[in-house]
Amino acid sequence: MKKWILLVLLLPVLTACWDEVLYKDITIVPLIGLEGEQNDMKMFFSYPSIDDEQVEYNVTTAKGTSIRTARNQAYLHSEEMLDISQVETFLLAEETAKEDLYKYIDPIYRVPRNRLNGHLILVKGSLEQYFSEDMKFSEALPDFYKGALETAIKFSNVPDLNFQNAIRMYFDEGQDLALPVMEFSEELKTPKISGVGLFSGRRLTSQYLNIEQSKVLVLLNKTASSKFLQFEYEWEKGDEKYPLVIELVSKKEKTKIKGQKIDHQIELNVAIEEFPDDHLSNQEKVNEINEFLSKKITQDFQEVIDILQKSKSDAVGYGKKVRAFHSNLWEQGEWHNTFSELDIKMDVKVKIVRTGLLG
Amino acid sequence: MSASLTRVQFLLLMFVVQTGTVFILFQRPFIEIAKRDAWVIFIAASFIHYLLLILYERNYQFFKLTKITTLLYVGYWLFVSFTSIAFIDYTLAEWAFPKTPQFIVILLMVIVSLYGNLCRDEVIVNLGAILIPIMLLFILFLIMALDYAEWSYLFPIGEASITEWGKSMLKIQFPFIGIELYLVYRGYVVKHQTMKGLPIFIYQLIWLSFFLFTIMITIAFFPMKEIESISEPIMYILKSQQVSFVERLDLFFIYIWMVWGIITITIFSFTAIFTFRKQYSITSKKPIYIYHFLLCMLPLLGLSKQSVEQLQNILLYTHIVFVYVLPFIIILQNRRQVG
């Protein structure tokens, strides 16, 4: 009897032993791709395998009605037990993203053991070429995509949206999602980040922002990082043209919403990174450049806002403020329609606060 | 009970019991109804909590249970305990131990409670002290999410209808669960330490700040539509934090929560057994074993999501009886007899 009691008392010590998952039993998939429509999806899995003490990345594909079913199909012709709980990069075909995005993120979002710090990238064209073994990189395929995106995020070329932040924006009625886009460069024979794809509600629109415009979006979006944000312009002096590269130092902004009008005032403090014409110790010249940059940047910002309005995509998140503090405007109708008809005026004031070692 | 309590011990015991299992459970059902008004409604509801504490303080000496009311309260505390165990077990199965047989996890919780109840009374009274650093860690982890909070999500307010206020007031009773223990243990606080005035007010402030913070961070972290699709938003906030020392912060936290929950269940069990033994003048340890046997068996009846939710809904209604109605009747009756 005592033995039985002891056995029962020891049982709880085994809690969680049933849930043990050993790395030797599974293969972590850091890169996945998805194309097609629901009920007819094609998934790509890039996973490591050890051959002669060297890690090599293989690619396998599978079809299914969902991510889970495709993965289960992949088991049938793969020697590995593919585990998608630690996906770092998820390539999604742009045609697929034109459907409700949530269907594809749900299995990543729902399961507690899945990591949420991976990133989504939209890709133009067939996914086959993005997983092709013919591409020659100095690193493994998953590392290339992860590295390319991380660099683009670091230099504020695209917004930093991991799965958690992306899904949050997806659910937010006051802000639309804008995801990084990759396209295949015929010149480089490799994929490259080319801008962001704009969502209106839960679907991808056919409008994109190029890298320069995407930087503006990063700057306008308070949730995005703008640590190394640079803008490039040309300064004309007589017949000569000089590059003028500036880097953001700090930003102040104010949004005034009145009736159907939004006045967005931004003050940018910038540092001159490149300007061979020099003479920046001359205050008149500095004022002239400040004025030039203010005008140029206001134009660029206004252009981005116009694209957003045209595509009914509030990727800046004006809707959040409108919903919170301007209920009359919010309740006028569906926000995307209201947003597209607003009179949004950008006013950017640039001030050079650093000129580098040269004056 | 052989031990007497200091004011701090008493308030710590109250805080542990009131937060224990409910602090990750009530946000979603409450916010789902109250929407962005949730934090305003909670502040309003906190006045009821404060009023209850003041009323309990004034009348605790008249809260004398009879044999029948003792049985009713023992049944209620047993119900609170096994509903909590069922909820913890279901949540652990979802988040941490999907393959572990659920009765093993139940056994783990009940054995700790059994051990605690077989020890001296002082052990139970001081059990909450081990939670103090854990509570601070939990708050620290949540503060880390402030960077991602979108404060415009807290507005607009004032949109909830009267019906929604009514329904919210019911759902907000979760953090009130356990307040009746004030009446049970107040008499054991050392005589020279008063509770009136500042001590109760400070306790009220701590209780309010703790729960209000969890409500506000939940609203500010998730868009309203996302909250509706997540069962335990606090867990999810922790899951989305990235720290260098642990892969999944939510797992780290779920063990904290489990310890917090087990201690709460142990205190509820102790209260039920101690009240029963005192009322019926029983010195043997048989009620402890019977109570824990029931505690082990009853949660097995409701381990599905639907059963857990049903049990929680029933708990809210029974809580109203045992926190508002019965104490009022008992106190009134005893006051009359004294008068």
Side-chain angles (χ1 to χ4, degrees):
Chain A
M1 183 65 185
K2 274 185 179 173
K3 275 183 189 171
W4 281 105
I5 293 171
L6 195 68
L7 199 68
V8 172
L9 291 175
L10 282 175
L11 258 178
V13 180
L14 300 172
T15 305
C17 288
W18 284 268
D19 294 281
E20 186 182 55
V21 181
L22 297 174
Y23 275 113
K24 70 182 175 70
D25 297 332
I26 55 167
T27 301
I28 299 292
V29 181
L31 171 70
I32 59 171
L34 186 146
E35 68 181 3
E37 294 169 356
Q38 205 180 20
N39 303 325
D40 185 23
M41 289 180 183
K42 189 176 179 187
M43 291 279 306
F44 295 75
F45 304 89
S46 176
Y47 60 93
S49 65
I50 298 167
D51 196 18
D52 289 338
E53 293 184 356
Q54 274 198 325
V55 180
E56 281 184 1
Y57 278 83
N58 296 328
V59 174
T60 189
T61 60
K63 284 194 166 191
T65 52
S66 68
I67 289 181
R68 285 271 158 188
T69 55
R71 191 207 55 181
N72 293 346
Q73 283 297 314
Y75 285 157
L76 303 176
H77 57 262
S78 162
E79 71 281 14
E80 308 281 354
M81 187 177 158
L82 304 177
D83 182 9
I84 58 166
S85 67
Q86 294 180 32
V87 169
E88 289 169 345
T89 315
F90 185 167
L91 303 184
L92 187 63
E94 58 167 344
E95 289 307 319
T96 308
K98 282 179 179 164
E99 282 191 59
D100 192 343
L101 188 70
Y102 187 73
K103 287 185 283 195
Y104 311 114
I105 307 183
D106 182 76
I108 289 174
Y109 189 50
R110 183 178 295 275
V111 181
R113 62 183 283 268
N114 287 353
R115 264 190 202 169
L116 293 174
N117 54 1
H119 287 79
L120 272 164
I121 303 178
L122 300 170
V123 292
K124 291 186 175 184
S126 164
L127 266 182
E128 198 92 48
Q129 56 189 338
Y130 293 89
F131 283 88
S132 167
E133 285 171 8
D134 297 338
M135 287 188 291
K136 296 283 174 242
F137 299 117
S138 55
E139 69 241 288
L141 200 60
D143 294 335
F144 165 75
Y145 286 112
K146 189 185 172 204
L149 186 68
E150 275 177 359
T151 311
I153 289 170
K154 203 170 187 177
F155 287 90
S156 305
N157 290 326
V158 291
D160 181 9
L161 293 175
N162 61 19
F163 292 141
Q164 170 62 38
N165 293 338
I167 203 77
R168 182 177 157 176
M169 223 171 257
Y170 167 89
F171 277 111
D172 194 340
E173 292 171 310
Q175 183 167 24
D176 286 306
L177 197 54
L179 288 178
V181 178
M182 264 195 163
E183 61 184 29
F184 208 83
S185 164
E186 291 302 327
E187 189 189 335
L188 299 169
K189 302 286 180 217
T190 56
K192 65 164 192 175
I193 304 271
S194 61
V196 293
L198 299 175
F199 281 72
S200 180
R202 299 184 168 197
R203 287 179 167 77
L204 178 69
T205 65
S206 49
Q207 289 282 357
Y208 292 87
L209 298 180
N210 62 30
I211 285 292
E212 287 307 312
Q213 292 164 337
S214 170
K215 283 185 203 171
V216 173
L217 184 65
V218 172
L219 183 67
L220 288 172
N221 199 327
K222 281 177 196 161
T223 55
S225 147
S226 49
K227 209 174 176 182
F228 300 105
L229 184 55
Q230 293 191 347
F231 289 103
E232 296 145 24
Y233 293 99
E234 275 186 343
W235 172 259
E236 288 182 30
K237 188 182 173 189
D239 295 338
E240 290 283 325
K241 281 184 180 173
Y242 297 97
L244 172 54
V245 181
I246 55 166
E247 187 169 281
L248 180 74
V249 176
S250 63
K251 174 185 81 158
K252 264 189 201 168
E253 62 183 321
K254 209 192 268 179
T255 315
K256 285 183 194 164
I257 302 169
K258 204 172 181 187
Q260 297 283 323
K261 206 174 168 192
I262 298 181
D263 283 320
H264 197 157
Q265 293 164 356
I266 304 170
E267 283 175 34
L268 298 180
N269 286 336
V270 300
I272 299 281
E273 289 288 304
E274 187 177 350
F275 187 57
D277 192 31
D278 290 334
H279 306 299
L280 291 172
S281 49
N282 180 348
Q283 191 55 42
E284 265 182 40
K285 177 118 185 194
V286 172
N287 290 344
E288 201 182 338
I289 298 170
N290 280 342
E291 209 172 300
F292 167 79
L293 286 171
S294 301
K295 199 175 158 191
K296 277 278 184 197
I297 293 180
T298 302
Q299 271 173 11
D300 290 350
F301 278 36
Q302 195 65 54
E303 192 186 341
V304 170
I305 295 296
D306 291 345
I307 296 172
L308 296 181
Q309 285 191 288
K310 211 169 125 190
S311 55
K312 296 187 177 181
S313 172
D314 180 11
V316 177
Y318 290 113
K320 288 194 284 195
K321 199 170 178 186
V322 171
R323 183 199 50 220
F325 305 112
H326 303 271
S327 53
N328 287 346
L329 186 57
W330 180 255
E331 283 160 11
Q332 255 182 28
E334 211 272 321
W335 171 243
H336 296 101
N337 294 329
T338 312
F339 169 72
S340 67
E341 286 161 12
L342 290 175
D343 179 13
I344 303 174
K345 286 273 172 287
M346 303 302 297
D347 181 15
V348 187
K349 295 263 184 291
V350 179
K351 190 179 174 189
I352 296 166
V353 291
R354 288 179 207 154
T355 60
L357 296 178
L358 303 177
Chain B
M1 191 165 71
S2 55
S4 61
L5 304 167
T6 65
R7 198 163 50 192
V8 175
Q9 277 176 318
F10 171 59
L11 292 180
L12 179 66
L13 184 131
M14 284 299 297
F15 186 73
V16 171
V17 164
Q18 287 203 269
T19 49
T21 51
V22 299
F23 75 92
I24 67 159
L25 118 92
F26 79 101
Q27 289 89 357
R28 189 188 64 93
F30 174 51
I31 296 170
E32 214 175 0
I33 294 170
K35 302 279 185 302
R36 291 188 176 85
D37 282 320
W39 60 279
V40 180
I41 295 176
F42 186 76
I43 292 172
S46 73
F47 287 104
I48 302 173
H49 185 264
Y50 189 40
L51 203 70
L52 261 181
L53 286 176
I54 292 170
L55 282 175
Y56 282 0
E57 172 59 25
R58 283 191 178 175
N59 297 292
Y60 71 91
Q61 60 272 45
F62 300 108
F63 186 76
K64 286 175 186 140
L65 297 174
T66 61
K67 290 200 169 176
I68 292 166
T69 49
T70 300
L71 278 180
L72 286 174
Y73 268 99
V74 169
Y76 168 65
W77 289 322
L78 178 66
F79 183 54
V80 173
S81 302
F82 86 72
T83 306
S84 302
I85 288 179
F87 173 65
I88 295 173
D89 196 43
Y90 172 78
T91 312
L92 285 172
E94 274 292 321
W95 285 85
F97 314 133
K99 308 284 184 222
T100 302
Q102 284 176 277
F103 77 90
I104 298 282
V105 183
I106 293 175
L107 206 60
L108 172 77
M109 290 187 264
V110 174
I111 282 176
V112 175
S113 171
L114 176 65
Y115 178 75
N117 276 281
L118 287 171
C119 291
R120 293 189 313 166
D121 301 346
E122 290 87 338
V123 173
I124 307 284
V125 170
N126 293 316
L127 215 48
I130 62 166
L131 287 176
I132 297 170
I134 290 176
M135 288 168 184
L136 295 174
L137 260 182
F138 165 70
I139 292 164
L140 184 79
F141 290 156
L142 277 186
I143 287 173
M144 281 161 58
L146 284 177
D147 269 357
Y148 303 96
E150 175 60 57
W151 298 107
S152 69
Y153 288 169
L154 292 170
F155 302 96
I157 50 170
E159 294 195 324
S161 64
I162 293 171
T163 323
E164 282 163 344
W165 266 79
K167 283 181 183 172
S168 305
M169 281 295 178
L170 180 67
K171 292 287 179 193
I172 205 57
Q173 290 302 316
F174 278 119
F176 285 57
I177 289 174
I179 194 172
E180 72 284 356
L181 263 59
Y182 191 100
L183 293 166
V184 179
Y185 291 111
R186 173 62 182 93
Y188 294 95
V189 176
V190 283
K191 291 282 179 289
H192 64 276
Q193 292 190 336
T194 55
M195 294 300 300
K196 266 181 200 165
L198 199 61
I200 286 186
F201 182 69
I202 290 171
Y203 176 72
Q204 167 70 14
L205 271 188
I206 295 170
W207 176 88
L208 171 69
S209 316
F210 179 80
F211 284 112
L212 187 62
F213 179 59
T214 65
I215 291 170
M216 289 180 93
I217 190 88
T218 305
I219 302 174
F221 195 84
F222 298 102
M224 206 41 75
K225 289 209 169 162
E226 195 178 359
I227 294 177
E228 288 164 14
S229 62
I230 295 173
S231 44
E232 287 90 26
I234 292 287
M235 292 285 292
Y236 218 97
I237 292 174
L238 295 165
K239 178 178 160 58
S240 56
Q241 304 302 313
Q242 281 180 50
V243 286
S244 53
F245 59 91
V246 64
E247 164 74 24
R248 280 179 59 192
L249 197 54
D250 57 311
L251 271 189
F252 190 68
F253 165 71
I254 207 158
Y255 295 117
I256 292 179
W257 177 61
M258 195 169 87
V259 173
W260 203 323
I262 291 173
I263 291 176
T264 306
I265 290 157
T266 308
I267 296 173
F268 270 117
S269 307
F270 173 77
T271 312
I273 296 161
F274 145 74
T275 314
F276 179 79
R277 287 167 83 192
K278 187 183 160 199
Q279 186 67 46
Y280 288 86
S281 309
I282 298 169
T283 48
S284 87
K285 289 182 174 171
K286 218 184 257 175
I288 300 177
Y289 295 114
I290 294 169
Y291 186 92
H292 283 87
F293 175 75
L294 290 172
L295 212 52
C296 215
M297 291 297 138
L298 290 171
L300 294 172
L301 302 173
L303 290 176
S304 68
K305 188 174 169 58
Q306 287 78 9
S307 315
V308 168
E309 279 176 0
Q310 269 173 5
L311 282 173
Q312 284 169 352
N313 285 335
I314 299 168
L315 177 62
L316 280 182
Y317 291 104
T318 45
H319 154 82
I320 289 169
V321 174
F322 287 93
V323 164
Y324 298 94
V325 184
L326 258 182
F328 179 74
I329 296 169
I330 293 168
I331 288 167
L332 210 68
Q333 208 171 24
N334 287 324
R335 274 186 90 109
R336 270 190 187 170
Q337 278 173 5
V338 172

